[in-house]
Amino acid sequence: YCDLSDTDKNIITYYILMTWFFPKLSTVPYLRLRADTGKGKSRILRVAGDLCFLPVWASGASSAAGTIRFEEQWHGTLIVDEADLKGEANDSGGYTNDVIKYLNLGFERGQYFIKADKLDPKQQEVFDPFCAKLIGMRGVFNDVATEGRCLSFVPHETNRTDIPPILPGVYDDEVRQLRAILTKFTLMHWSDISEDEPYPDFQDVQCEPRLKQLGSPIAKVLQK
C-alpha cells in the first residue's frame, strides 16, 4: 500500500514492533516522514500508524492542549500529520512552544509536563509525554533538540501502478488481522524484555552518536 526501499521498509517495520514494547523502555525515538505533497508521506504514515500500538491520531491543526490531553487519556502511539509549526522557537508561551516542549520531554521516561488549571490556578495537571511518536511534515523543526529525537525518512513520489491511490475496503480487514497477530506476539514475549537490562552500545557500528542513541531502544527489542 506504499512505496518504500527495502532498508526503509525494514527500519519502519522494526519501529512498529518497538511501539508495542515501549512501556518497557526508558527512551524512545520518534519516526518522522518529511516530504512535500504528493510524495506518499501521509500514506506511509497511515499504513505504519495503523500497525503501531494503540495509535492516537492528531492532525497538525489540533490544539496543543487537546493533543496532550487526548494522548494522556490513552498513552498510545501519538501520530501527528502536517506537524509543521510556525514560530516554534520564538513563540513565548504559545501553542507551538507547548508542542515542542512536549516532544522534547517525551523522548525519555520521567520527564513530566505540569500545567496549572486555568479555572483554578492552585490545581496542577500532570501529563506524561513519554510515548512512541510518528510525525509527518514538509520541513524540519527549528528546535535542534526536537530534530535530534527524530529518525527521519524522505519518501519519493512512486511510479508503481500496483499501489492503489485510495485504500480499498479489504485494507481494514488486513489491519485487524495483523494487529491481532502483533497483540498475541506482544503478550507472548512481554516478559522477555527487562527494564533493567542494558541497552546495546553499538561499539562496533560506525555512525554518529545520535543515531546510536536513537537506534538503541529498537535494538533492545529486536535482540530478543
Side-chain angles (χ1 to χ4, degrees):
Y1 294 112
C2 54
D3 192 0
L4 291 165
S5 69
D6 289 341
T7 299
D8 290 355
K9 180 172 63 177
N10 286 338
I11 295 176
I12 291 175
T13 301
Y14 300 154
Y15 189 89
I16 290 170
L17 184 60
M18 185 211 69
T19 66
W20 289 79
F21 293 91
F22 91 81
K24 304 291 287 282
L25 304 172
S26 60
T27 181
V28 289
Y30 304 153
L31 183 69
R32 194 262 300 276
L33 296 163
R34 185 171 64 85
D36 211 339
T37 302
K39 305 298 184 183
K41 165 177 56 67
S42 296
R43 171 62 66 85
I44 299 170
L45 198 71
R46 168 72 187 277
V47 173
D50 281 344
L51 297 179
C52 287
F53 168 72
L54 197 62
V56 176
W57 294 87
S59 72
S62 304
S63 70
T67 299
I68 292 170
R69 284 173 171 79
F70 194 48
E71 169 60 26
E72 183 68 20
Q73 181 179 356
W74 296 104
H75 282 296
T77 302
L78 181 62
I79 304 170
V80 184
D81 197 5
E82 301 296 339
D84 297 271
L85 307 173
K86 294 182 179 180
E88 63 194 48
N90 302 315
D91 190 355
S92 57
Y95 151 67
T96 54
N97 206 9
D98 277 352
V99 171
I100 292 302
K101 288 180 179 179
Y102 188 81
L103 293 176
N104 288 347
L105 290 171
F107 182 72
E108 292 184 311
R109 182 186 300 279
Q111 303 291 326
Y112 297 103
F113 196 88
I114 303 174
K115 295 179 70 68
D117 189 326
K118 292 183 178 180
L119 299 179
D120 186 0
K122 293 183 179 180
Q123 299 296 321
Q124 305 298 316
E125 292 182 290
V126 181
F127 302 96
D128 183 2
F130 179 71
C131 66
K133 299 177 180 68
L134 273 64
I135 301 169
M137 58 193 304
R138 299 180 185 181
V140 298
F141 292 110
N142 291 332
D143 192 303
V144 177
T146 315
E147 275 292 303
R149 286 153 168 75
C150 296
L151 282 169
S152 296
F153 296 85
V154 182
H156 301 280
E157 186 173 0
T158 184
N159 57 9
R160 287 174 52 180
T161 58
D162 60 320
I163 296 178
I166 299 176
L167 292 173
V170 70
Y171 170 82
D172 291 330
D173 294 332
E174 293 174 348
V175 167
R176 280 191 289 268
Q177 292 174 17
L178 286 170
R179 292 189 63 84
I181 294 171
L182 283 163
T183 302
K184 181 179 180 180
F185 179 86
T186 303
L187 291 172
M188 291 176 63
H189 295 281
W190 183 257
S191 60
D192 292 347
I193 299 176
S194 170
E195 298 180 36
D196 299 327
E197 190 170 344
Y199 286 81
D201 55 21
F202 292 122
Q203 291 184 357
D204 57 339
V205 178
Q206 298 298 318
C207 68
E208 58 183 281
R210 183 185 69 87
L211 285 177
K212 292 183 180 181
Q213 182 185 21
L214 295 176
S216 290
I218 301 175
K220 183 173 182 177
V221 174
L222 291 179
Q223 70 181 355
K224 297 297 183 180

